[in-house]
Amino acid sequence: MKRFVFLLLITFFCLGVNAQKFDNLAKTPPMGWNSWNKFGCNVRESLIMGMADAMVSSGMKDAGYEFIIIDDCWQVSRDGNGEIVADKERFPNGIKYLADYLHSKGLKFGIYSCAGTKTCAGRPGALGHEYQDALTYAKWGVDYLKEDWCNTGTQEAKSSYTNMRDAIYTAGRPIVFSLCEWGSNKPWEWAGAVGHLWRTTGDISDSWNSMITIFSQQKDLTRYAGPGHWNDPDMLEVGNGGMTTDEYKTHFSLWCMLAAPLLAGNDLQNMTPETRSILMNKEIIALDQDTLGRPATCYRDNADYQIWIKPLANNEKAVCLLNKSDEKKTVLVDFALLAQASSGRRGGSARGGPSLTIENFLIRDLWEHKDFVMKENSMYIDIPPHSVKVFRFVKK
Ligand code: GLA
């Protein structure tokens, strides 16, 4: 009888009956740095260590950034046992050495793979090696895995990603699991039980058009995200040179309003003061990392001019006025109305608490870093082209 129960348990285990994603991870959107947007395939050990050093010395770590993620091109082949092999020229001390280095700095380590036969850059993919790779990553000390969707042929997305989820769970090391299938199979509808974040669109590039187009595609998705399961509108381009400072402020503000993962994609060793002040604007980051974990919803949509409202813990809220147009807009903003405005999803104010009223809040301007002097309940506000104003309604 004992033997029978034992065999039954083993069978259940092998069938992955107990498998699930690791809970209690990514309760707020993951923050870190990823190599792809700036460096593409040009990754190497010295670069990754340099980024880790810069993340600490620049103050990024103190601002909340913790993951350093190597994207595509770290891997070259599989050995005779099917083990994934890192590029020895570029990573002379192996991947575990790097993970140990990052951990010694108090950072976390992320790596990239692909659900198909090959990665998007043509390196070995995970198909058929999921359990083996998950064990290898656990052994190396990986804390975050991004799994891409190139060269997947007729594979089915949900089962492919579930297979890797189960492999990670079986390997036993808690790893944040990031699905990167570009929104092709509506992951927001099923990926909450599979991973901790999922890409919602194709790749971002370093231009206003790309960024604002991706942002526009998030409008109907915000209700799917929450603690432990986030929409991922792709990594940040702040500091890469293709947008103006105002546009980068808009990019960063919108990602924080969406409660998006904040994965910097620039060269952390060479940041201008403007880039630093955007990526390390702690008042804006606090919106992203708010413990309520609710993305903003679009409260007013007048085409070029939108108002987004993000409910925050403690019955506070953030309001973002967005001017998408190429011209300055002067808009009449009714703060008393915004204070009482529904924050979307469940109707009424956040978690059903009492609405804010004009008497019981003050307004913080999160880019000016000062309290906003509200002379009237309704005021005209100038918003430059491609810019935002972001306010936090703080309870007195
Ligand atoms: C895809 C992903 C990108 C990046 C590249 C790497 O395009 O969407 O984020 O990982 O692959 O090849």
Side-chain angles (χ1 to χ4, degrees):
M1 182 62 184
K2 263 189 192 160
R3 196 153 168 251
F4 174 73
V5 172
F6 179 71
L7 281 174
L8 202 68
L9 280 175
I10 292 284
T11 314
F12 269 24
F13 188 67
C14 292
L15 287 174
V17 169
N18 290 321
Q20 58 182 75
K21 76 175 192 183
F22 276 102
D23 280 327
N24 290 320
L25 293 178
K27 287 295 175 196
T28 58
M31 292 178 66
W33 175 88
N34 174 300
S35 53
W36 185 254
N37 281 357
K38 172 76 184 173
F39 298 99
C41 258
N42 201 10
V43 286
R44 55 180 67 250
E45 180 185 282
S46 53
L47 175 86
I48 303 299
M49 288 169 80
M51 289 304 143
D53 294 345
M55 187 175 271
V56 176
S57 62
S58 65
M60 296 266 294
K61 176 171 180 277
D62 287 341
Y65 296 84
E66 59 174 351
F67 293 100
I68 295 273
I69 302 162
I70 316 178
D71 209 279
D72 209 346
C73 302
W74 62 268
Q75 63 286 70
V76 282
S77 58
R78 290 193 180 273
D79 70 12
N81 298 321
E83 289 288 334
I84 191 93
V85 176
D87 185 329
K88 286 205 172 55
E89 257 177 44
R90 287 171 173 266
F91 296 92
N93 294 296
I95 302 295
K96 183 170 187 318
Y97 172 85
L98 255 187
D100 290 347
Y101 183 78
L102 298 185
H103 290 150
S104 77
K105 300 245 150 200
L107 299 170
K108 291 184 176 165
F109 176 55
I111 211 164
Y112 163 99
S113 182
C114 183
T117 50
K118 287 189 170 150
T119 71
C120 296
R123 306 303 174 94
L127 187 63
H129 293 273
E130 291 85 355
Y131 281 72
Q132 186 175 23
D133 286 353
L135 275 176
T136 304
Y137 299 153
K139 199 173 67 190
W140 286 348
V142 168
D143 304 297
Y144 181 112
L145 175 67
K146 167 177 174 180
E147 193 172 47
D148 218 334
W149 190 241
C150 281
N151 304 300
T152 44
T154 56
Q155 279 174 249
E156 204 261 316
K158 186 177 175 188
S159 58
S160 296
Y161 282 106
T162 303
N163 195 23
M164 184 50 103
R165 174 202 73 177
D166 294 351
I168 293 170
Y169 196 74
T170 306
R173 182 178 171 88
I175 288 179
V176 173
F177 188 31
S178 154
L179 282 65
C180 179
E181 59 74 84
W182 322 304
S184 318
N185 301 278
K186 299 191 175 160
W188 44 88
E189 288 180 354
W190 50 265
V194 180
H196 303 93
L197 58 155
W198 53 83
R199 280 276 297 279
T200 52
T201 67
D203 289 7
I204 195 169
S205 61
D206 186 17
S207 73
W208 167 260
N209 277 343
S210 165
M211 185 279 290
I212 206 69
T213 304
I214 286 181
F215 175 72
S216 306
Q217 291 170 283
Q218 310 304 311
K219 203 170 155 203
D220 298 327
L221 305 181
T222 60
R223 67 199 159 99
Y224 294 99
H229 52 102
W230 306 104
N231 288 316
D232 175 6
D234 208 359
M235 302 170 290
L236 297 166
E237 291 285 8
V238 176
N240 280 337
M243 292 184 236
T244 65
T245 299
D246 270 357
E247 290 171 344
Y248 280 139
K249 280 185 181 175
T250 301
H251 176 21
F252 195 66
S253 304
L254 296 178
W255 263 232
C256 289
M257 290 296 288
L258 289 173
L262 296 181
L263 297 176
N266 60 315
D267 181 354
L268 303 183
Q269 290 179 307
N270 291 295
M271 290 196 276
T272 62
E274 289 79 19
T275 299
R276 285 167 191 267
S277 68
I278 296 171
L279 288 175
M280 286 184 264
N281 182 336
K282 291 184 185 171
E283 292 192 276
I284 296 282
I285 292 172
L287 307 183
D288 184 79
Q289 295 293 301
D290 183 79
T291 53
L292 188 61
R294 291 210 9 220
T297 49
C298 188
Y299 169 75
R300 281 275 180 282
D301 189 355
N302 298 334
D304 280 348
Y305 168 61
Q306 294 181 333
I307 303 177
W308 287 72
I309 301 184
K310 184 181 197 297
L312 303 172
N314 195 28
N315 200 33
E316 297 191 348
K317 70 174 76 171
V319 173
C320 175
L321 314 178
L322 166 65
N323 176 6
K324 293 204 261 183
S325 79
D326 299 338
E327 282 134 36
K328 184 181 95 172
K329 292 229 179 257
T330 302
V331 291
L332 184 63
V333 179
D334 186 333
F335 286 97
L337 203 65
L338 285 175
Q340 285 166 15
S342 152
S343 44
R345 204 151 69 178
R346 291 178 194 112
S349 55
R351 290 266 179 261
S355 299
L356 294 176
T357 65
I358 198 91
E359 291 82 29
N360 66 12
F361 67 88
L362 61 86
I363 299 174
R364 216 32 221 163
D365 182 324
L366 304 188
W367 283 109
E368 296 295 327
H369 296 294
K370 57 186 186 206
D371 293 347
F372 179 78
V373 183
M374 200 177 60
K375 296 180 190 129
E376 309 278 345
N377 285 0
S378 292
M379 286 176 64
Y380 282 99
I381 300 213
D382 287 339
I383 315 173
H386 294 190
S387 292
V388 286
K389 294 292 281 181
V390 188
F391 299 109
R392 182 179 184 124
F393 287 56
V394 185
K395 274 213 288 198
K396 276 186 191 160

